[in-house]
Amino acid sequence: MDVTYISFYLRAGRIHVFVDALRAIGSPDRICFMIDDDGKHLMIIPYNKRDFKSHKVPKKVYEGQSSLEISSMKFCKLISGMKNWDNSHSYRIPGEIKKKINAAVFNLEEAVAIQ
């Protein structure tokens, strides 16, 4: 089991996706976030289409020159509202790589506030 993380910086409306998670799902050019019906898990999957729900992963992320920072105040507010997070804090969420489905799955119930 591969452990990874994702962080939400709520004040800035920014999501930090750890590069190891991206590499573990095949270093995709684009990704998509998915939330399960009960709101307990967030999943990142490779995504081929360029549309309103996909996010580009710049090549320099895989070269180690940058990290993947996604700006989306709307998505941050959606998640923080669902989980009743304090919008003045940031949160790190542990996850694991599910190789069989080629996805990184994060347990939103295990979010930890970070400074």
Side-chain angles (χ1 to χ4, degrees):
M1 173 173 54
D2 295 323
V3 177
T4 189
Y5 296 89
I6 189 170
S7 299
F8 284 82
Y9 298 93
L10 299 179
R11 268 183 271 172
R14 200 172 66 241
I15 305 147
H16 176 93
V17 180
F18 284 57
V19 178
D20 61 338
L22 298 170
R23 286 189 179 118
I25 61 171
S27 302
D29 292 332
R30 301 189 82 73
I31 59 169
C32 177
F33 293 111
M34 300 175 78
I35 302 171
D36 62 3
D37 290 336
D38 61 8
K40 291 184 179 180
H41 296 93
L42 170 73
M43 185 164 63
I44 297 176
I45 61 168
Y47 198 77
N48 295 325
K49 289 174 46 177
R50 181 179 183 204
D51 60 18
F52 71 95
K53 60 184 175 182
S54 70
H55 301 277
K56 174 106 175 97
V57 181
K59 296 233 183 277
K60 63 184 178 178
V61 168
Y62 298 118
E63 296 167 355
Q65 299 171 7
S66 180
S67 59
L68 181 59
E69 301 284 337
I70 297 170
S71 295
S72 180
M73 187 63 76
K74 189 173 184 176
F75 190 63
C76 286
K77 286 187 181 209
L78 172 80
I79 296 291
S80 69
M82 283 176 36
K83 305 315 294 175
N84 294 317
W85 291 346
D86 182 339
N87 285 321
S88 66
H89 288 80
S90 296
Y91 292 85
R92 180 165 293 143
I93 301 100
E96 60 184 279
I97 304 302
K98 303 283 189 172
K99 293 185 191 265
K100 285 186 178 183
I101 60 171
N102 197 32
V105 180
F106 302 90
N107 187 340
L108 296 170
E109 302 292 306
E110 296 179 5
V112 175
I114 56 176
Q115 299 300 327

